[in-house]
Amino acid sequence: MAPDRPLALTQGDPAGIGPDITLAAWAARRETGLPPFLFIGDPAVLKSRAALLNLDIPIREASPETAVSVFDSAIPVLALASGVEVAAGEPHVATARGTISSIETAVDLCFSGRASAVVTNPIAKSVLYQSGFKFPGHTEFLADLAQKVTNRCYLPVMMLAGPKLRAIPVTIHIPLKDVPTALTEDLIVDTCRVANEDLKNRFGISRPRIAVAGINPHAGEDGAIGVEDQEIIHPAIVRLRDEGLHVFGPLPADTMFHDEARSRYDVAVCMYHDQALIPAKALGFDTSVNVTLGLPFIRTSPDHGTAFGIAGQGVARETSLVAALKLAAELATNTDAKTPAFGVTV
């Protein structure tokens, strides 16, 4: 059965590879079985990038209600101005407002039921910061938008999902030296709760198996190589088991990611950014998807950045965006739109 609502695809930074991979994904829509999306951004950017890449791809302005019917013959676009003429590979602060508006519009369409999920093209945080953007990144901004609509606080959880591994970092974009201070028992517990709920409600895993990594080599080796595993991570696991979750660890991270080890769990919860993302990208660089758990709407994204250095050169691969669009559609099919995400009332 054909979907009746499109995915809301944001433009990302228009000077990056977002337009390139959007065009390439649509061009391969039939062979990849791509679900219909509505691109939210400047149609002039898509047209100029298509010309630069020598692609004959129709671009047509559309609404959420007409996007699905338009999708087979043209890229449907909900038009938003970029704010300045965009050149591939040359980011400009004047485009920040359009980038932010694209994200806000996508979220609004999901809350109004006019889109089934949000899929975000890569943004350049440095460009947004120059415009006064106050959030560390996409994830925190999306949580803030959700709170404004629902009057609930959300703990957004970043998960890299690929064919061979799902991995979650408990702490994300902070210096490695700050991880032991930022890591708390409550943060581990809350992250695992969010993962457990979304893996059940959206991924259809009835009792998720959650493997928790240690922070130190050999998971601390009984305190000989650091006490955080004993004093922070282990108590968190005990609490989660007492709540009935299938959680085990802390496990030495160097033995968690080989084939046999991965067969024993549905998601690896790691203590810091690279501990999760290095194995996730090594095992599925072009096919892994960034999924935000814990929000009252579905959000996926490619697992790469804006890649300004190759924008407009015809070498950017659309594989991760295709995977993000397909996973978003799958999760939307699995999920009742009214199923609440994990959160607490303000």
Side-chain angles (χ1 to χ4, degrees):
M1 180 182 296
D4 59 352
R5 295 179 299 160
L7 302 168
L9 176 62
T10 68
Q11 70 170 10
D13 191 298
I17 63 170
D20 306 48
I21 59 177
T22 298
L23 292 162
W26 183 86
R29 67 198 179 285
R30 294 193 177 98
E31 51 263 44
T32 61
L34 198 69
F37 63 76
L38 175 65
F39 182 82
I40 304 170
D42 194 335
V45 171
L46 283 183
K47 291 175 182 177
S48 65
R49 194 65 56 87
L52 182 62
L53 296 170
N54 198 28
L55 297 173
D56 183 16
I57 293 181
I59 313 294
R60 188 182 306 169
E61 292 194 26
S63 69
E65 290 71 32
T66 61
V68 172
S69 61
V70 166
F71 186 77
D72 189 58
S73 58
I75 298 181
V77 178
L78 185 62
L80 293 177
S82 291
V84 69
E85 186 174 347
V86 174
E90 299 179 15
H92 196 293
V93 67
T95 65
R97 183 61 254 169
T99 300
I100 293 167
S101 294
S102 178
I103 299 167
E104 293 170 335
T105 301
V107 171
D108 286 344
L109 292 178
C110 280
F111 273 117
S112 67
R114 302 173 74 197
S116 58
V118 175
V119 181
T120 56
N121 265 310
I123 59 172
K125 289 177 283 189
S126 59
V127 174
L128 300 186
Y129 294 158
Q130 292 177 53
S131 74
F133 188 70
K134 64 180 180 179
F135 299 94
H138 253 137
T139 304
E140 296 83 2
F141 183 43
L142 291 166
D144 184 72
L145 293 174
Q147 180 179 343
K148 288 176 179 175
V149 173
T150 66
N151 198 37
R152 290 170 65 89
C153 287
Y154 298 93
L155 174 64
V157 169
M158 172 184 175
M159 181 172 77
L160 267 287
K164 296 182 179 180
L165 175 67
R166 299 184 191 95
I168 292 171
V170 175
T171 63
I172 307 179
H173 297 122
I174 60 174
L176 188 59
K177 67 180 177 60
D178 295 337
V179 170
T181 303
L183 193 66
T184 66
E185 182 182 325
D186 285 344
L187 181 59
I188 296 168
V189 167
D190 287 343
T191 299
C192 289
R193 286 173 177 164
V194 169
N196 187 67
E197 288 303 304
D198 268 18
L199 287 173
K200 286 195 302 182
N201 294 333
R202 290 183 171 161
F203 285 78
I205 302 172
S206 58
R207 191 163 187 257
R209 301 166 300 167
I210 302 173
V212 179
I215 188 174
N216 294 300
H218 304 175
E221 208 164 281
D222 294 324
I225 317 177
V227 298
E228 292 87 357
D229 298 275
Q230 288 181 313
E231 296 182 355
I232 300 173
I233 303 173
H234 177 69
I237 292 170
V238 171
R239 284 173 57 187
L240 290 161
R241 285 176 176 165
D242 288 344
E243 295 177 9
L245 277 68
H246 187 172
V247 182
F248 55 97
L251 304 175
D254 63 345
T255 58
M256 278 184 65
F257 301 107
H258 61 83
D259 291 348
E260 183 180 352
R262 296 197 315 275
S263 70
R264 302 187 188 114
Y265 58 80
D266 299 300
V267 64
V269 174
C270 303
M271 296 302 108
Y272 54 92
H273 181 277
D274 285 9
Q275 191 181 58
L277 271 66
I278 287 174
K281 293 190 176 186
L283 290 167
F285 185 77
D286 286 324
T287 52
S288 290
V289 176
N290 184 347
V291 186
T292 304
L293 309 179
L295 295 177
F297 53 85
I298 294 160
R299 181 261 178 152
T300 67
S301 177
D303 72 342
H304 56 71
T306 53
F308 291 121
I310 62 170
Q313 296 181 20
V315 296
R317 293 192 291 268
E318 75 279 9
T319 318
S320 186
L321 176 60
V322 169
L325 289 160
K326 294 179 76 170
L327 180 58
E330 179 184 341
L331 297 180
T333 300
N334 291 346
T335 306
D336 183 331
K338 297 187 183 302
T339 299
F342 177 82
V344 294
T345 303
V346 177

